[in-house]
Amino acid sequence: TFDDSKQADYDIVVGADGKVANATVAQSSGFQRLDEAVINCIVRKLVFNPGTVDGVPQNGASARIPITYKLE
């Protein structure tokens, strides 16, 4: 059968300012241009509340962002 969905995973590191300091492809969508566009969007658009220690924002919090693509 035809599988009409695909998951890709993107790893990020968040800076003390809440902006994405680094983003990489952990599991490709299978399309390099799509992965590059997603990384570009993640770095330019996403902002997070940074991790803190004793109320002081810290560099280096990390997360994995899963994205499921589905053909309809």
Side-chain angles (χ1 to χ4, degrees), residues 6-61:
K6 172 82 173 160
Q7 180 170 315
D9 296 316
Y10 305 92
D11 289 339
I12 63 166
V13 176
V14 179
D17 61 359
K19 295 180 181 178
V20 176
N22 189 38
T24 58
V25 178
Q27 174 65 46
S28 175
S29 66
F31 298 94
Q32 182 178 357
R33 287 179 57 199
L34 179 58
D35 289 335
E36 289 171 356
V38 170
I39 291 292
N40 186 35
C41 183
I42 287 172
V43 170
R44 289 182 336 141
K45 299 289 186 179
L46 296 185
V47 179
F48 297 88
N49 291 324
T52 61
V53 174
D54 296 327
V56 178
Q58 301 293 306
N59 283 312

